[in-house]
Amino acid sequence: MKRMVLILFLLLTTCTPELPCEPRVTEPQAWSESELSLVGLINDYRAELGLNLVITNEDLKIESDKRAEVLYYLPAVTHDGVGAAFIALGNKCYQGYAEILGGGYTTIESVLAAWKESSEHNRALLRASSYYIGVANTVGENGQTIYVILLARD
């Protein structure tokens, strides 16, 4: 039987006003069709509940891709090491980060359904303060599909 994993890491932060923000990335990144479809499904879900839509963000995409690359080599999906992504985003003055992970699901619909059924993951997906999203998905070295979502605000 396949083991499915859902993990959530949420960190609410504020930018230190004394430190200048690093420039944000503006050049388009490579978003796969499935990643954009997952963003669309998340936005459909948020819209059904009267929430703002999240906007794809190149900085969050870069960091979610990095997280997926790290998770690719690990035997299990884990939030260990997410601090590096949050530091990078904090240096660009993003706030209120959340990381949502899923492993072992075969479709974006199935991982989203699992996140909706988990109160913590659902709460993170529906945070009204989230404005930006980065998504990555990959098939890990162990053959398990890994999904990474990063959410943040200004």
Side-chain angles (χ1 to χ4, degrees):
M1 184 161 95
K2 265 189 160 177
R3 181 173 167 227
M4 314 260 185
V5 180
L6 291 175
I7 300 178
L8 169 72
F9 188 84
L10 176 65
L11 179 65
L12 300 176
T13 60
T14 57
C15 185
T16 307
E18 301 85 41
L19 299 176
C21 296
E22 293 178 5
R24 293 183 176 184
V25 174
T26 56
E27 59 271 2
Q29 302 301 303
W31 292 75
S32 72
E33 184 178 322
S34 65
E35 291 165 349
L36 292 173
S37 294
L38 182 54
V39 172
L41 290 173
I42 291 168
N43 275 332
D44 289 347
Y45 181 44
R46 291 174 65 90
E48 287 171 17
L49 299 171
L51 296 171
N52 61 294
L53 304 183
V54 287
I55 302 164
T56 56
N57 177 281
E58 305 315 316
D59 288 314
L60 274 68
K61 172 63 176 154
I62 289 168
E63 295 305 321
S64 62
D65 283 344
K66 288 179 187 176
R67 288 290 294 143
E69 186 177 332
V70 168
L71 294 170
Y72 173 90
Y73 294 102
L74 298 178
V77 177
T78 175
H79 286 291
D80 292 348
V82 71
F86 289 169
I87 289 169
L89 294 173
N91 288 342
K92 294 183 180 196
C93 292
Y94 292 102
Q95 300 179 44
Y97 327 116
E99 177 182 65
I100 305 171
L101 303 176
Y105 297 88
T106 56
T107 67
I108 58 174
E109 293 83 6
S110 62
V111 75
L112 182 58
W115 287 333
K116 287 178 178 181
E117 291 174 15
S118 161
S119 62
E120 292 297 317
H121 293 89
N122 194 50
R123 188 172 331 163
L125 285 172
L126 299 178
R127 284 188 356 195
S129 63
S130 292
Y131 292 105
Y132 302 117
I133 189 169
V135 176
N137 71 311
T138 188
V139 176
E141 196 169 64
N142 62 2
Q144 176 177 313
T145 302
I146 301 164
Y147 297 89
V148 177
I149 292 183
L150 292 175
L151 297 160
R153 67 175 191 274
D154 285 317

